[in-house]
Amino acid sequence: MNADRQTVLEIKNLRKDFGELEVLKGVDATIKKGDVMVVIGPSGSGKSTFLRCVNRLEQPTGGQILFEDQDICSSNNDINKLRQKMGMVFQQFHLFNNLTVLENITLGPTKVRKLKPAEAQEQAMQLLDTVGLREKASIYPSQLSGGQKQRIAIVRALAMKPDVMLFDEPTSSLDPEMVGEVLSVMKDLAESGMTMLVVTHEMGFARHVATRVVFMDDGLIVEEGSPEEIFNHPKRLRTKDFLSKISTAF
Amino acid sequence: MKSIEIFSEYYKYFLRGTRATVVISLITVIFGSILGCILALMRLSKNKPANTFARMYIAVIRGTPLLVQLYIVFFQLDFISYPKMTLLGLDLERTLPCIIALSINSSAYVAELVRAGIQAVDIGQSEAARSIGMSEAQTMWNVVLPQAIKNILPAIGNEFITMIKETSVIQYLGVADLMYNNGIVITSTYNPLPSYYITATIYLLLNLVMGRGVTLFERRLQKNER
């Protein structure tokens, strides 16, 4: 691996607790440009909280997150500015219900990046083409299937021209026949060189698309390595245990 | 029919009063809504003084009768030099304090409705907006408020109807609204019942029109999503 790639995200000793409940107990991770880091682990292991801390949807209780060398928790840095460069895709899609598909995609570019509406629309249509949903531009989210919603949510995030994309269990609330269409968009994105941090239960995706796999349990990173290392030669007992429980599904 | 006779003779009074009631209601509804939205945002804000002020304001206004508020505003704000003139047959020195009192009253109820509407919008909607770098204000204005208002529209319509009816208390300050003119007609006919029927019918018509307007608006917002 090429070591001189630019570091996009550097997470040091990240801690998060909700009152008594310690969810993250000191997580360290480094993500370089072009990395596709997939986070796996049992429910309640802190994967989603970890992801949500990265763009400060959750306020970390301790530690440090550097995004392109800027501390996201520092009051000197405008979090709204930093978030523009971090796209996020949610489990429940969260498309804006009051706006059409096209407006969903152009809202950020026009309000935040201050693009001209015509420019933003043209860019949005091009992005819609890449996910094969151009003809849905003028309808409202309530008329879309889950898979379509999620592809549009990905496009909405991409319209901000992010440097990194965060995926929070993007396929977990989809009907099985729609999982493929979303994963294939994510795979294309990964192949185009996008830096990605993905929390997922899709082991096939982790195995074939990830450049690095992280196994989290109980608020800590237990093991980290290439897909080959994690899936075929896990070193830690907990990783083996977790993989053996889910392997029946494959 | 005694009512029809009285109306054909005194219709000028009823129409004049209706015009005043409509104008005062409209102004009240507009100011009450704007003030109510601001209070709702204060009530939801993390700013302690703003939050506490909104809480207390709502508690006091909802907990005291409108008529009492009307008199308090009238006497407490007597240092304001309202313009000494009449507009649409309304003496502004008396009408303006009434509009202030009514708007203050309405805003407390609107504030609670708007707050409930905002809180009912899925938190994921704001998280998605914040995640693309929108500020709190941009998120509220472009994503949360439009959805909140759509949700609370039926309840808001209810509040507007209540307000139209409640404006009738301003007759006690001598503002020549529908109820006040109704009184004038009664003193000259010595026959109260027909006048009250006429007045009731006019209020009913106003509220039917208002209700219809809200329904149409509701449907237009709904069409946006189906």
Side-chain angles (χ1 to χ4, degrees), chain A residues 52 83 95 98 140 142, chain B residues 125 127 130 142 224-225:
Chain A
R52 289 166 57 84
R83 278 180 182 149
L95 291 181
N98 58 321
Y140 285 86
S142 57
Chain B
Q125 295 282 311
E127 287 186 349
R130 299 307 303 276
N142 293 289
N224 270 350
E225 288 184 22

Side-chain angles (χ1 to χ4, degrees), chain A residues 52 55 57 80 83-84 86 88 90 94-98 107-108 111-112 114 140 142-143 156-157 160, chain B residues 122-136 138 142-144 146-147 223-226:
Chain A
R52 289 166 57 84
N55 69 351
L57 282 182
N80 294 332
R83 278 180 182 149
Q84 290 175 35
M86 293 192 255
M88 177 135 183
F90 300 85
H94 298 323
L95 291 181
F96 306 131
N97 295 323
N98 58 321
L107 186 66
K111 299 286 172 194
V112 182
K114 310 285 181 199
Y140 285 86
S142 57
Q143 293 162 288
R156 175 178 66 183
M160 295 301 293
Chain B
D122 182 4
I123 181 81
Q125 295 282 311
S126 342
E127 287 186 349
R130 299 307 303 276
S131 79
I132 53 175
M134 289 171 73
S135 67
E136 227 173 321
Q138 285 174 324
N142 293 289
V143 176
V144 179
Q147 295 185 48
K223 207 188 284 169
N224 270 350
E225 288 184 22
R226 295 290 137 202

Side-chain angles (χ1 to χ4, degrees), chain A residues 40 90-91 93-94 98 115 137 145 148 164 181 183 205 222:
Chain A
I40 60 171
F90 300 85
Q91 182 178 355
F93 330 126
H94 298 323
N98 58 321
L115 288 189
S145 74
Q148 291 169 336
V164 60
E181 63 193 60
L183 290 181
F205 181 84
V222 176

Side-chain angles (χ1 to χ4, degrees), chain A residues 168-234:
Chain A
D168 186 8
E169 301 199 24
T171 57
S172 296
S173 55
L174 292 174
D175 290 340
E177 78 270 25
M178 292 171 182
V179 170
E181 63 193 60
V182 171
L183 290 181
S184 100
V185 168
M186 290 169 61
K187 185 163 176 277
D188 290 347
L189 197 56
E191 280 165 3
S192 76
M194 176 63 77
T195 311
M196 292 162 67
L197 179 55
V198 184
V199 169
T200 187
H201 293 292
E202 296 294 333
M203 295 305 149
F205 181 84
R207 199 185 277 268
H208 297 116
V209 183
T211 57
R212 287 189 311 139
V213 177
V214 165
F215 173 66
M216 267 183 86
D217 191 21
D218 198 23
L220 287 167
I221 290 182
V222 176
E223 192 165 351
E224 182 180 344
S226 68
E228 158 77 13
E229 286 165 352
I230 298 289
F231 287 107
N232 298 345
H233 313 287

Side-chain angles (χ1 to χ4, degrees), chain A residues 38-198:
Chain A
V38 172
V39 184
I40 60 171
S43 298
S45 58
K47 312 184 293 290
S48 285
T49 306
F50 167 56
L51 197 74
R52 289 166 57 84
C53 282
V54 169
N55 69 351
R56 234 179 88 193
L57 282 182
E58 299 293 351
Q59 184 73 37
T61 337
Q64 202 179 30
I65 298 172
L66 297 177
F67 173 57
E68 295 175 342
D69 297 328
Q70 304 198 65
D71 184 346
I72 68 145
C73 291
S74 156
S75 51
N76 296 330
N77 294 322
D78 179 359
I79 185 66
N80 294 332
K81 275 246 150 55
L82 297 177
R83 278 180 182 149
Q84 290 175 35
K85 291 284 157 200
M86 293 192 255
M88 177 135 183
V89 175
F90 300 85
Q91 182 178 355
Q92 300 290 342
F93 330 126
H94 298 323
L95 291 181
F96 306 131
N97 295 323
N98 58 321
L99 301 176
T100 63
V101 166
L102 187 64
E103 289 164 346
N104 260 279
I105 303 167
T106 56
L107 186 66
T110 52
K111 299 286 172 194
V112 182
R113 284 175 59 208
K114 310 285 181 199
L115 288 189
K116 293 204 176 67
E119 209 178 329
Q121 278 170 22
E122 197 190 308
Q123 181 208 297
M125 293 310 281
Q126 281 170 3
L127 282 168
L128 278 173
D129 268 339
T130 64
V131 296
L133 290 171
R134 169 179 271 267
E135 75 281 8
K136 303 290 184 192
S138 58
I139 66 173
Y140 285 86
S142 57
Q143 293 162 288
L144 297 168
S145 74
Q148 291 169 336
K149 282 183 193 170
Q150 197 59 301
R151 282 186 280 162
I152 286 167
I154 294 172
V155 164
R156 175 178 66 183
L158 289 176
M160 295 301 293
K161 304 248 181 267
D163 293 340
V164 60
M165 285 284 284
L166 312 174
F167 290 86
D168 186 8
E169 301 199 24
T171 57
S172 296
S173 55
L174 292 174
D175 290 340
E177 78 270 25
M178 292 171 182
V179 170
E181 63 193 60
V182 171
L183 290 181
S184 100
V185 168
M186 290 169 61
K187 185 163 176 277
D188 290 347
L189 197 56
E191 280 165 3
S192 76
M194 176 63 77
T195 311
M196 292 162 67
L197 179 55
V198 184

